[in-house]
Amino acid sequence: MLDAIIIISFILAGAGTGFRGIEALPGSVLQQVSNPDALRWICAGFGAIFGLAIGLIAQSAFRRLERQIRQLPAYTLLSRAIGLVMGLLVANLLLAPTFLLPIPPEFSFLKPLTAVVGSIMFAVSGMSLADVHGRSLLRLINPSSAETLLLSEGTIKAATTKVLDTSCIIDGRIADLLDTGFLEGQLLVPQFVLQELQQVADASNDQKRVRGRRGLDILNRIRESYPDRVVIHPADYDDIPTVDAKLVRLVQEINGTLLTTDYNLNKVATVQKAPVLNVNDLTQAIRPSYLPGDSIDLKILREGKEPAQGIGYLDDGTMVVVEDGRSYVGGELQVVVTSSLQTSAGRMIFAKPKASALA
């Protein structure tokens, strides 16, 4: 409906301009016209066609502007609006004295021209400053606490918004991180990530379908547990074909941080200088470090490759090779770490039963 109103308005404006436009023609030209009414309607027709063309351009430009505005965060829209108003206010205060200057009549057009150009310049400058200092501006307008003042001054920094990708949601450890309270800031799930998650859940492959449904269940659980922190963002980029590229673009635009478990996406985002938090890196960082002489309660699950060896695993999946542990397969015992080895496949720990170590 709005598109039709825009196009019809331009058509009527063009037709009206053409219909009334012949009155601006010189009198000598009008005297040569034998049928002024016919000329009026011809000019009105051409004006309507010209108005239709401009209306289509204006309608497409309006829709592009509307899509861009919908993708902007609320604080950006509000800060830009405040910057626009302040810029126009400053322009009117500074340009008002110029209208009192004595200007010859032949240069009277300079007054409205200066007002229009000056208002546009100050309005654009106000919006640009709002983009840079928008958050500080909003906090200064509503300084509800000492923390907001410190944030506006730059003494402390607010927690960045975390953008979740599909692999991070399916992985499931994000729910445990939220429960521990170590993960701060808003959690943003883009609409295109939600669509990809639904496609995985509807896949014909059984394994993919199970992973997709698990991801949807985890997302619903964290939304119910933290309704104020988890937000579904409607942003989308029609000009970008892949979800990974859309994630990087969104993170860069909102100055957020990408939360993922995807190794390749981590590398691509790092190359494009987008902040990334990899849950796998966090797991590696907090993995307990066992030194020679440390004791571990371990269940021996199977026999090792070498004679008398037993194999067990820690909670984080680290394999423990126990010398003289074959006789304890299926049981639990306390072992003492003798050494550890870091390989490309992960870390291995070598140990022996505590009873034999003390002997």
Side-chain angles (χ1 to χ4, degrees), residues 44-108:
F46 279 105
I49 296 173
F50 188 69
L52 174 62
I54 297 181
L56 292 174
I57 295 174
Q59 180 266 337
S60 60
F62 173 77
R63 287 304 179 187
R64 285 197 300 270
L65 178 63
E66 184 182 32
R67 285 195 297 268
Q68 293 176 359
I69 291 176
R70 286 182 176 179
Q71 295 172 1
L72 292 175
Y75 79 88
T76 301
L77 291 174
L78 183 57
S79 61
R80 285 184 179 180
I82 295 174
L84 175 64
V85 172
M86 294 181 65
L88 292 175
L89 181 61
V90 172
N92 280 273
L93 292 175
L94 293 180
L95 296 175
T98 61
F99 292 98
L100 302 177
L101 297 176
I103 298 178
E106 57 269 19
F107 295 104
S108 59

Side-chain angles (χ1 to χ4, degrees), residues 108-147:
S108 59
F109 68 91
L110 290 177
K111 287 185 178 181
L113 179 62
T114 303
V116 172
V117 174
S119 297
I120 294 175
M121 291 177 57
F122 279 98
V124 173
S125 299
M127 294 177 65
S128 300
L129 289 174
D131 282 340
V132 178
H133 304 289
R135 290 182 180 269
S136 300
L137 177 64
L138 293 177
R139 294 189 184 100
L140 287 173
I141 292 175
N142 183 26
S144 57
S145 66
E147 181 183 0

Side-chain angles (χ1 to χ4, degrees), residues 135-252:
R135 290 182 180 269
S136 300
L137 177 64
L138 293 177
R139 294 189 184 100
L140 287 173
I141 292 175
N142 183 26
S144 57
S145 66
E147 181 183 0
T148 56
L149 290 176
L150 292 174
L151 287 169
S152 63
E153 293 172 359
T155 306
I156 60 177
K157 293 184 178 180
T160 59
T161 299
K162 310 301 187 298
V163 180
L164 306 184
D165 79 330
T166 309
S167 65
C168 180
I169 298 173
I170 293 176
D171 178 80
R173 286 175 289 180
I174 181 65
D176 298 329
L177 282 174
L178 286 172
D179 293 338
T180 59
F182 280 101
L183 191 62
E184 297 181 341
Q186 203 80 5
L187 299 180
L188 191 148
V189 182
Q191 186 67 38
F192 53 82
V193 168
L194 191 60
Q195 292 174 355
E196 184 183 42
L197 198 59
Q198 183 178 2
Q199 291 175 0
V200 175
D202 294 337
S204 57
N205 185 282
D206 292 340
Q207 187 175 3
K208 286 186 176 181
R209 186 164 61 248
V210 171
R211 286 168 51 83
R213 291 177 179 177
R214 165 186 164 83
L216 290 174
D217 292 338
I218 293 172
L219 181 58
N220 288 328
R221 179 156 60 89
I222 63 176
R223 287 195 69 188
E224 292 175 358
S225 302
Y226 306 93
D228 297 332
R229 295 187 58 187
V230 182
V231 178
I232 304 298
H233 197 282
D236 200 354
Y237 304 95
D238 297 332
D239 57 325
I240 301 178
T242 63
V243 173
D244 289 355
K246 291 180 180 182
L247 281 167
V248 175
R249 170 74 69 83
L250 178 60
V251 169
Q252 291 174 335

Side-chain angles (χ1 to χ4, degrees), residues 32-45:
Q32 299 177 10
V33 177
S34 59
N35 192 345
D37 292 335
L39 180 61
R40 285 179 182 275
W41 288 108
I42 292 174
C43 291

